Amino acid sequence: MKKINILILLLIPLVGFSQNNHLAEYQKAENLLQTNEIDTAFVKFKELEKSLPKNDTLYEYALWYKVATATHLQETYRYQEKFEKSLEYAKEALDGIEKGTEIFDEEFAKRKFFMVKNIMVANYGLGNFEEGKKWKEKMYEAKEKNQLPEGIDQNFNFDFFKFEDKNIWGYEWYAELPKDRFSSSFTKVVYYVYTTNPDGSDKDQLYRLHVLMFHGNNENFDYVLTKRLETAKNEVSGTLYSYSYKENIDFEKLKNDVKEVLKGNLKPNTKSTTTKDKNGKVKVDVKMNNKKH
């Protein structure tokens, strides 16, 4: 999705705070921000946050900028697909957010679940699907308790990766599969495929890959992957019955399937047969062919 600049560093002048050595270290960290040495500044602010007493006024500033720099760094490394570093800084940011919840305002506290989401994305990027699922469950729990801020209260980004010169974003919706498969069109997951600008940010949306509820009865699957075009030309769109999923989606399989579609592999060795029962309900059977290509 469109890249948002998370970090806006407003350097606040301090007069008469803390002991001289702490203030001197804070000013060094401030100077590092001005020269865009964010990673080194983060280390300084983290050290100050640990060493300062919590009743010291300077502590609040050190904690604030620890969170700000860690937030910036986790995003930077995520866009570079350096997910181990992104995960490290996302956890540091979450630690600071949780410490600052009782100190700062409500807007600051809203950052918590955005950072939970970022930790999840880093885990999916690393292929840690089980660990990523644990963080995803935190999002669903917060949804049930009505704790989620606007922006991640209806759906959330859970995956990001690059394919050739494209950015790929995975989003998931909280709503569950409806019992009546003919009640509405229902999408659980969407992967958005973007071209990129020279700086690596999103440019144009080429197409979307929907994990779409199957309108019919089939014991073998509940969702099918469906390709919907946006700006893409000379591309095939439609339902890809070769890629189907049960209600409890295997997200590792889904990610691998998305990569296959990105490669242009829309029709693997499969054969689909569509039938209707006496009530008019549709059933699709998908079987693998033995023939090798």
Side-chain angles (χ1 to χ4, degrees):
M1 308 303 289
K2 291 184 178 180
K3 186 175 179 180
I4 300 173
N5 292 324
I6 292 179
L7 184 63
I8 302 175
L9 295 173
L10 301 174
L11 303 179
I12 304 171
L14 302 173
V15 179
F17 286 119
S18 194
Q19 299 177 13
N20 288 336
N21 59 331
H22 284 142
L23 183 55
E25 289 302 304
Y26 182 90
Q27 290 170 337
K28 287 179 183 178
E30 213 176 42
N31 291 335
L32 289 166
L33 290 181
Q34 292 176 329
T35 56
N36 204 35
E37 297 174 76
I38 309 299
D39 51 351
T40 310
F42 162 78
V43 173
K44 287 284 186 186
F45 286 123
K46 180 181 177 181
E47 289 173 349
L48 279 166
E49 181 262 320
K50 283 188 174 182
S51 61
L52 282 163
K54 291 185 179 181
N55 61 355
D56 191 313
T57 309
L58 188 58
Y59 174 82
E60 296 182 11
Y61 290 93
L63 179 61
W64 178 278
Y65 283 116
K66 171 195 167 179
V67 172
T69 51
T71 298
H72 176 77
L73 290 165
Q74 67 81 26
E75 183 195 36
T76 299
Y77 284 115
R78 177 158 41 92
Y79 275 104
Q80 296 173 359
E81 294 186 283
K82 296 179 180 179
F83 293 113
E84 287 187 5
K85 297 295 288 184
S86 180
L87 181 59
E88 175 187 340
Y89 286 113
K91 287 184 175 180
E92 290 283 2
L94 180 60
D95 171 73
I97 292 166
E98 290 177 335
K99 289 176 180 176
T101 299
E102 297 180 0
I103 300 173
F104 304 115
D105 59 17
E106 187 177 342
E107 287 301 312
F108 183 89
K110 288 180 180 180
R111 301 182 185 194
K112 175 179 177 178
F113 288 105
F114 281 101
M115 202 53 60
V116 167
K117 180 266 296 182
N118 293 334
I119 291 172
M120 176 176 52
V121 173
N123 274 294
Y124 273 91
L126 289 167
N128 298 336
F129 295 98
E130 286 303 313
E131 183 64 20
K133 183 179 179 181
K134 294 176 184 177
W135 290 93
K136 185 183 289 186
E137 288 170 353
K138 295 179 186 293
M139 299 290 288
Y140 275 86
E141 290 169 5
K143 173 67 174 177
E144 289 181 5
K145 296 176 182 177
N146 198 30
Q147 295 175 333
L148 295 172
E150 185 178 356
I152 53 175
D153 57 334
Q154 300 301 317
N155 57 65
F156 57 91
N157 170 221
F158 71 91
D159 196 12
F160 170 78
F161 63 95
K162 292 179 179 290
F163 178 83
E164 296 176 345
D165 59 346
K166 302 175 183 67
N167 286 343
I168 319 299
W169 297 87
Y171 275 72
E172 181 172 341
W173 273 252
Y174 295 102
E176 299 297 336
L177 193 69
K179 292 182 180 180
D180 183 357
R181 300 298 175 86
F182 296 92
S183 61
S184 63
S185 180
F186 176 76
T187 294
K188 184 62 177 175
V189 174
V190 178
Y191 272 90
Y192 297 88
V193 180
Y194 279 85
T195 58
T196 55
N197 293 304
D199 65 355
S201 61
D202 297 336
K203 185 179 180 182
D204 299 315
Q205 187 186 131
L206 292 173
Y207 55 87
R208 309 185 307 274
L209 296 172
H210 287 242
V211 178
L212 188 68
M213 176 185 68
F214 175 64
H215 284 271
N217 296 321
N218 190 293
E219 61 185 18
N220 297 317
F221 62 88
D222 299 295
Y223 297 103
V224 291
L225 201 61
T226 302
K227 184 177 179 181
R228 294 179 176 175
L229 304 184
E230 288 293 332
T231 63
K233 296 180 180 179
N234 302 318
E235 290 269 2
V236 175
S237 64
T239 302
L240 310 176
Y241 284 111
S242 305
Y243 303 109
S244 59
Y245 313 93
K246 297 292 288 182
E247 183 174 5
N248 185 18
I249 299 169
D250 181 338
F251 280 88
E252 182 174 6
K253 176 183 183 301
L254 172 58
K255 186 167 186 173
N256 290 332
D257 289 349
V258 167
K259 290 180 178 180
E260 287 300 312
V261 174
L262 290 168
K263 295 174 186 176
N265 189 11
L266 305 184
K267 297 180 180 180
N269 300 336
T270 61
K271 178 181 179 181
S272 62
T273 304
T274 305
T275 59
K276 289 185 178 181
D277 63 18
K278 60 182 180 180
N279 296 317
K281 292 185 176 180
V282 178
K283 181 178 180 180
V284 176
D285 288 318
V286 179
K287 296 181 180 179
M288 296 296 297
N289 293 329
N290 294 324
K291 183 179 178 180
K292 296 183 178 179
H293 296 277

